[in-house]
Amino acid sequence: MENQNAYLKPVTLKNILKFAIPTIAMTVFMSFYTMVDGLFVSNLIGTNALSAINLTAPVIQLVTAVSTMLATGGSAVIMKKMGEQKSGEAREDFTFLILVNIFAGLVMSGLGYLLMDRIFAGMNLSAEVEGYCVEYLSRYLIFTIPILLMNNFTLYMIASEKAALSLICSVTGGVLNMVLDYVFIAGLSMGISGAAIATGLGYSVTAVAGFFVFSRKKSLLHFKKPVFRFRILINAAANGCSEMAAALVTGIITMMFNWTMLRYVGENGVAAVTIITYVLMFASSLYTGYSYGAAPMLSFYYGEQNHGKLKKLTGISLGIIGVISLVTVAASFILTRPLVSVFARPDNPVFNLAVEGNRICTIALFFIGFNIFASGMFTALSNGAVSAVLAFSRSFVFMLITMLVLPMLLGVKGIWLATPVAELMALALSAFMFVKYRKRYGY
C-alpha cells in the first residue's frame, strides 16, 4: 500500500528525521504556547495568577494522563495490527477508542466541577490566589473533550503519516492561543479566565481537524463502524499506563513542589517553580516529540518482526537524543537570566529564586531524554509493564525520595536538586531494563 511506503523504506537518519522533525516541532510548539500563557498571565495579571496556573496543574494533569494513556497505548496496539496486516480490525479499534475518549471527557469534566472548591479550599492559599485557581480551572474544564481528542488525534495523525498536518494543526492552535491570550486578557480584560479559554480554543483546532482527516477513507487510519472489543481497551490502557502514570505523578510531584515551596518560601516560590517548569517542559518536549515520531516505526517493525530495522532505529535514536541533551543543557545555562526575565522582572523576588533554581535543575537535561525515550520505546514494543516501571519510578518513586530527603538536608537548594538526582537514578534503571530486554526484542 502506498501509504505504508515510509515504513518500508531503509532506516536512515534522513528517513527517521522525516518522521521525527514534524513531531518534535509540534511538541516544542505546544510547550511554547503553554509558556506564552504564563508570559501573558505573569506580565498582564501578576505572579500570583502565574502561581494559580501551577496550582491547578495537578487537576489538569489528570485530564492529560487519561488522554495520554489512551493515545500512546492505543496507537501502539493499532499500529502493531497494521504491521500484522490486520488493517480492518485496526480501524474498527481506532474508532472505538475515540468514542471512549469522548465518554471519558464527559465524566472527568463533571467530576472536576463537583470537586473543584474542595480541592483549593484545603491548600491554605490567600483569597486572591484561590480565586484565580477556581476561575482558571472552571473555564479550562469546558474543553476537556477537545483536549482528550487533541492528544489522540495528534498521535494518530503521526501514525497515519500525516505528521506535517499534525504540526500545522499545532502551529495554528498555538497562534490562535497567543492571539486570543492578548485579545481576552489585554483587550477584553477577561483576566485569568481569558487565558483558560484561549488555551482551550487553541487545543480544539487539532480536535476539529482530526474529525475531518479521519472521516476520509484515503487516510491510512480512518473511521469505520466500531466493534466494541473491550480487550482492546484493556490492552491500550495497560500498554499506555506508563505514560498515564508519568502524567499523573507529574501532577502529584507538582503538588509536592508547591507545598514544599509554600512552606520554605511562600507563594513567590510557587511562581519560581512555575517558571522553571516551563523551561524544563520546553526542553523535554524535544525528547517527547522525537519519541512520538519514532514510536509508530518501532511498533510497525516489531509487528513485522524486523529486528534489523529495530536495532538500527534504536541506535540512531540514542545518538540523536545524546546530541539534543548536550545542546539543551548548554542553551539553558547560557540563557537562564534572559529566560527568567521574560516572566519576572529582576526587581521581583521571584527572579533570583528562579535563576538559582533553573541553573541547578538544568543538570537534569543530561538524563531526561534517555528516560523519556526508554519508556516510550517499551510502550511502542507493547511492553506496557516495563514502560510503567520506568515511568512510575522516574516520575514518582525517585522524585518522592529526593523531594522528602534533599530539602530537609539542604533547604531550598535541595528542592532544586531533587529533579536532577531523581533523573540520574531513573537513568540507571532505564539502562538496566534496556540491557535486560535487548535479546528478547533484538534492538
Side-chain angles (χ1 to χ4, degrees):
M1 189 183 288
E2 188 179 345
N3 282 358
Q4 293 177 328
N5 280 347
Y7 294 102
L8 302 178
K9 288 178 181 177
V11 177
T12 62
L13 179 62
K14 181 181 176 182
N15 288 337
I16 293 170
L17 291 179
K18 279 184 181 177
F19 255 81
I21 285 176
T23 61
I24 291 171
M26 175 195 67
T27 52
V28 166
F29 199 84
M30 287 172 68
S31 71
F32 176 69
Y33 73 74
T34 302
M35 290 172 68
V36 169
D37 254 2
L39 173 66
F40 278 106
V41 167
S42 61
N43 284 284
L44 296 177
I45 306 173
T47 51
N48 275 350
L50 185 65
S51 299
I53 289 180
N54 199 27
L55 290 163
T56 61
V59 181
I60 290 168
Q61 283 293 342
L62 179 61
V63 176
T64 305
V66 172
S67 64
T68 302
M69 174 189 71
L70 293 171
T72 56
S75 177
V77 169
I78 287 165
M79 289 315 295
K80 183 171 179 284
K81 279 196 175 183
M82 295 296 282
E84 293 167 345
Q85 306 302 313
K86 299 176 182 175
S87 56
E89 276 188 32
R91 289 163 187 149
E92 291 166 354
D93 296 339
F94 161 66
T95 311
F96 168 53
L97 290 175
I98 293 300
L99 292 174
V100 170
N101 273 273
I102 293 171
F103 176 74
L106 286 170
V107 172
M108 284 194 292
S109 60
L111 285 173
Y113 280 110
L114 283 173
L115 300 174
M116 192 188 317
D117 290 332
R118 294 181 192 176
I119 292 168
F120 299 119
M123 289 188 181
N124 296 321
L125 302 171
S126 66
E128 182 187 21
V129 172
E130 185 178 338
Y132 282 141
C133 289
V134 171
E135 188 180 348
Y136 185 83
L137 189 60
S138 62
R139 307 306 188 277
Y140 191 95
L141 287 172
I142 295 168
F143 299 95
T144 304
I145 292 173
I147 289 166
L148 263 73
L149 292 177
M150 179 273 296
N151 281 333
N152 279 263
F153 286 153
T154 293
L155 289 193
Y156 287 122
M157 283 182 193
I158 295 164
S160 297
E161 298 180 40
K162 298 186 188 303
L165 177 61
S166 182
L167 172 60
I168 290 167
C169 290
S170 295
V171 171
T172 304
V175 171
L176 179 65
N177 181 24
M178 293 175 207
V179 171
L180 292 179
D181 265 332
Y182 182 77
V183 171
F184 291 162
I185 300 173
L188 300 178
S189 300
M190 292 173 66
I192 200 170
S193 63
I197 293 168
T199 299
L201 290 173
Y203 284 153
S204 299
V205 170
T206 302
V208 173
F211 278 111
F212 286 101
V213 169
F214 294 115
S215 295
R216 299 180 65 207
K217 291 190 177 179
K218 289 182 180 179
S219 177
L220 182 64
L221 285 176
H222 54 258
F223 294 129
K224 189 176 180 181
K225 186 177 179 181
V227 175
F228 292 83
R229 298 185 186 95
F230 287 101
R231 181 178 294 177
I232 291 300
L233 175 58
I234 292 166
N235 288 346
N239 205 30
C241 68
S242 60
E243 280 70 21
M244 179 181 183
L248 268 179
V249 299
T250 296
I252 295 168
I253 294 300
T254 300
M255 285 172 63
M256 284 189 65
F257 263 111
N258 292 339
W259 288 339
T260 309
M261 269 300 180
L262 284 168
R263 179 183 167 193
Y264 280 88
V265 185
E267 288 170 354
N268 283 339
V270 176
V273 167
T274 309
I275 294 168
I276 291 163
T277 301
Y278 285 148
V279 176
L280 287 177
M281 178 182 63
F282 185 76
S284 297
S285 67
L286 293 164
Y287 313 123
T288 304
Y290 181 81
S291 296
Y292 282 171
M297 300 173 77
L298 288 164
S299 297
F300 193 91
Y301 299 148
Y302 175 56
E304 275 191 325
Q305 290 296 294
N306 192 329
H307 300 296
K309 284 189 171 182
L310 266 179
K311 187 173 184 177
K312 196 166 184 183
L313 175 58
T314 304
I316 293 172
S317 295
L318 293 174
I320 290 170
I321 289 166
V323 171
I324 295 173
S325 298
L326 293 173
V327 172
T328 53
V329 168
S332 184
F333 269 121
I334 293 166
L335 299 173
T336 289
R337 294 184 75 86
L339 282 170
V340 173
S341 66
V342 170
F343 297 93
R345 291 173 184 160
D347 60 348
N348 190 317
V350 171
F351 181 85
N352 288 330
L353 269 172
V355 167
E356 180 191 10
N358 190 66
R359 283 181 174 154
I360 297 172
C361 284
T362 290
I363 299 166
L365 296 177
F366 280 119
F367 320 122
I368 289 174
F370 295 104
N371 293 329
I372 289 173
F373 178 74
S375 179
M377 182 180 77
F378 283 108
T379 296
L381 296 173
S382 292
N383 194 332
V386 171
S387 184
V389 168
L390 291 177
F392 187 72
S393 298
R394 170 191 170 231
S395 303
F396 186 68
V397 177
F398 298 146
M399 280 299 299
L400 184 64
I401 293 167
T402 55
M403 279 296 295
L404 289 174
V405 174
L406 293 179
M408 287 170 53
L409 298 175
L410 303 169
V412 175
K413 281 189 179 177
I415 301 173
W416 302 133
L417 274 169
T419 301
V421 174
E423 290 290 349
L424 179 59
M425 293 163 73
L427 181 65
L429 181 61
S430 295
F432 172 77
M433 291 296 189
F434 188 87
V435 172
K436 181 179 179 181
Y437 287 93
R438 196 167 195 167
K439 285 185 180 178
R440 179 192 290 190
Y441 295 107
Y443 48 73

